Amino acid sequence: MAQLARAAYFDEPRQAARRYHDSAEFAEVLRLAGPLRGRALDLGAGNGILSWALAEEGWKVTAVEPDSSDLVGAGAIRLVSRESKSPIDVVEAFGEAIPLEAANYDLVVARQVLHHANDLGAFCREMARLVRSGGTVITLRDHVISGPDQLQPFLNSHPLHHLYGGENAFTLAQYRDAITGAGLEIVSEFNSFQSVVNFDPMSEGQVRDRLSDLMRGFRTPVRAALEFIPFRLIAAVAAAADRRPGRLVSFVCRKAA
């Protein structure tokens, strides 16, 4: 599973952090966060790839990660921070109860984290508590199911769940209700192929190729037309039609001033 581990940035933490910094996903995260730099909070920071990338771009970063592991947890974040001399404050805590001062961050980012929450509502309330008024909250790459009947098929098909048992998924309604119930406004919602934050490390060209493969039953001219249709239109249609268990969603939110 070496290729999968590398695509998920689960390989050697220093190499993974540098590669993530140069990724199309992170470039889009910076665009969504806006041009200003301030205090950023990385919730469920894992091995610190996003924390380090933000620090390299001038943010003052705090990383929250409950796992102390030197490979995929707080130990890895401290290693990357120390060896690169990019300062990152590390707090070992779960997202439902974070020992940090309220309204102290301009940007809160949770990458591949909400679907792991033991209490989704409490997790979202902590995000809302910690971001300042007028600040931005970005959640990235969370697994979606259409209903409870899709959960077990998703877990069965996940390539890593059988190794550690840590995967989960919620419906779009559950994510939306938890976010807005915490007092955050959803500014943008990206489903499946609507944003590179969901389909990276695939490129737009690879997405087109994959859709073409799925259309093998169609006449050749129909498949060939995919090359000339604007990608945003293809992405919108593909996202609307996507009902796979475990498909991805990302949100950009604001806390009212």
Side-chain angles (χ1 to χ4, degrees):
M1 293 188 180
Q3 185 175 356
L4 174 62
R6 191 175 189 278
Y9 301 100
F10 286 155
D11 51 327
E12 198 281 322
R14 289 161 293 194
Q15 296 177 18
R18 291 182 176 87
R19 198 168 66 256
Y20 181 76
H21 175 270
D22 297 335
S23 70
E25 178 192 329
F26 182 63
E28 182 64 4
V29 169
L30 287 180
R31 189 189 72 80
L32 294 171
L36 300 179
R37 298 292 183 265
R39 296 177 60 85
L41 182 64
D42 182 7
L43 288 184
N47 58 2
I49 57 171
L50 176 57
S51 296
W52 186 81
L54 288 169
E56 284 290 291
E57 292 299 318
W59 291 87
K60 185 175 182 180
V61 181
T62 298
V64 174
E65 171 55 48
D67 189 340
S68 61
S69 165
D70 290 338
L71 181 62
V72 293
I77 303 172
R78 293 187 177 102
L79 171 67
V80 172
S81 173
R82 182 175 62 251
E83 295 202 352
S84 65
K85 296 182 172 56
S86 292
I88 301 171
D89 293 329
V90 181
V91 177
E92 294 187 34
F94 285 94
E96 290 85 351
I98 305 170
L100 292 172
E101 182 181 349
N104 200 32
Y105 297 91
D106 305 287
L107 173 68
V108 173
V109 186
R111 182 180 187 271
Q112 299 183 165
V113 175
L114 291 191
H115 61 273
H116 291 294
N118 291 315
D119 186 328
L120 183 59
F123 194 106
C124 290
R125 288 192 293 274
E126 280 293 83
M127 293 195 302
R129 181 182 71 85
L130 293 166
V131 71
R132 65 167 177 79
S133 295
T136 300
V137 174
I138 301 175
T139 70
L140 299 167
R141 301 172 68 95
D142 282 299
H143 293 299
V144 175
I145 51 175
S146 297
D149 58 318
Q150 278 199 341
L151 181 57
Q152 195 57 52
F154 161 64
L155 297 178
N156 292 342
S157 66
H158 194 284
L160 299 177
H161 178 70
H162 70 284
L163 297 176
Y164 57 80
E167 289 301 325
N168 193 21
F170 296 101
T171 66
L172 278 175
Q174 287 175 304
Y175 287 121
R176 292 166 182 159
D177 289 348
I179 290 169
T180 57
L184 297 170
E185 175 193 2
I186 297 175
V187 177
S188 299
E189 176 182 317
F190 303 114
N191 297 298
S192 301
F193 309 106
Q194 288 180 307
S195 172
V196 70
V197 297
N198 289 338
F199 62 75
D200 189 61
M202 284 197 299
S203 65
E204 291 186 4
Q206 289 172 315
V207 172
R208 287 179 187 269
D209 290 343
R210 179 166 295 187
L211 292 174
S212 179
D213 289 341
L214 293 174
M215 295 175 67
R216 287 182 184 277
F218 289 80
R219 291 184 299 113
T220 300
V222 176
R223 293 169 58 196
L226 283 176
E227 297 183 17
F228 305 100
I229 300 174
F231 183 78
R232 60 182 177 79
L233 298 180
I234 294 174
V237 172
D242 191 3
R243 291 294 181 270
R244 293 170 301 160
R247 58 195 181 273
L248 298 181
V249 67
S250 299
F251 294 97
V252 180
C253 313
R254 295 281 187 272
K255 184 176 179 179

